[in-house]
Amino acid sequence: MINTEDFIKRLETILDYYSISASVFADQIGVQRSGLSHLLSGRNKPSLDFVMRITDNYPEVDLYWLLHGKGSFPKGEAKHENENIAQPTPSPSTVNEAKNNFEDLFSVPENKSEEVEINQQEVTEKLIEETKESATEIASIPVAHNHSEVEQVVIFYKDGTFKHYKPKA
């Protein structure tokens, strides 16, 4: 069985080794940033798919080392006290990409937040227009003239929502 705390430490070792943020790492291995965040916080345990994505995208990560902490990282590097073994360095493009894309797991690119604001405004405007149309349709419904006063009008929408109207006193 895998010790999740030790797995997280090894995952952090990989991030430190490549000098990349968790968000860049998540993007590179093709997982949701929130999923990686939950894993790093200890909330979730690593899935087989997650582990395989790491070893597929980072061939120098030894599967046995990642899962059990036995072996070496990077792959094939023996830990000898008296030998100076050069560690492979990340390619310049990886380092530059990591520096240029450094952001936390929860940041939203500026153009995305503008898009969300525009969509919220569009939705609000559409909802107001639909409500006006509904009110117009209700006003055109013939009412039997029995001299009763309308107490309230409730409009039920197909999506399960409703709008409640009461006449002004």
Side-chain angles (χ1 to χ4, degrees), residues 130-131 134-135 138 153-157 161-165:
E130 288 176 357
T131 303
S134 296
I138 290 172
V153 175
V154 181
I155 301 171
F156 294 94
Y157 296 97
T161 61
F162 65 93
K163 196 74 173 174
H164 185 259
Y165 296 97

Side-chain angles (χ1 to χ4, degrees), residues 29-101:
I29 65 171
V31 298
Q32 294 281 329
R33 292 176 180 181
S34 60
L36 181 59
S37 175
H38 292 317
L39 195 136
L40 288 171
S41 70
R43 176 181 166 190
N44 293 354
K45 293 183 179 184
S47 67
L48 175 60
D49 179 59
F50 179 81
V51 171
M52 296 311 297
R53 285 176 182 262
I54 294 171
T55 58
D56 289 346
N57 289 283
Y58 291 90
E60 31 318 296
V61 176
D62 181 61
L63 178 63
Y64 198 69
W65 173 81
L66 184 60
L67 294 175
H68 302 289
K70 296 178 183 170
S72 60
F73 173 73
K75 196 183 271 188
E77 180 178 297
K79 295 182 181 181
H80 297 287
E81 294 179 10
N82 297 330
E83 295 184 46
N84 292 328
I85 300 174
Q87 293 186 356
T89 56
S91 68
S93 63
T94 304
V95 172
N96 289 335
E97 181 182 328
K99 288 179 182 176
N100 293 336
N101 292 331

